[in-house]
Amino acid sequence: MSYKVVNKFNDSQDNNLLYEIGDGYPKGKHKPSKKRIEELSNVHPKYKVVFIEEVEKKKE
């Protein structure tokens, strides 16, 4: 699955790498856990925003 960033954040589980709005997630060779994907794709309890969303692949 592919994800895109919808709110800017620093990924504490990827050397505090900065993700800007519109970036793909993850970058490079980083392989986030299913739990991490869930944390970022649901409303964060502290910041009250979603950080990533799944990108649908276009059918040709």
Side-chain angles (χ1 to χ4, degrees):
M1 286 185 239
S2 298
Y3 300 90
K4 78 172 183 178
V5 176
V6 294
N7 282 294
K8 183 177 171 178
F9 70 101
N10 287 66
D11 192 351
S12 62
Q13 296 184 8
D14 188 13
N15 296 315
N16 283 321
L17 185 63
L18 176 64
Y19 284 88
E20 299 276 0
I21 295 172
D23 286 350
Y25 181 83
K27 292 181 182 177
K29 296 181 181 182
H30 178 65
K31 301 287 186 212
S33 66
K34 288 182 182 182
K35 181 180 177 188
R36 184 63 172 159
I37 295 292
E38 289 175 12
E39 290 171 349
L40 295 172
S41 60
N42 290 304
V43 176
H44 191 279
K46 180 178 180 182
Y47 301 111
K48 310 290 188 220
V49 296
V50 172
F51 291 104
I52 62 172
E53 65 182 20
E54 190 173 349
V55 176
E56 293 184 27
K57 293 186 179 183
K58 293 181 182 179
K59 295 182 180 180
E60 294 181 29

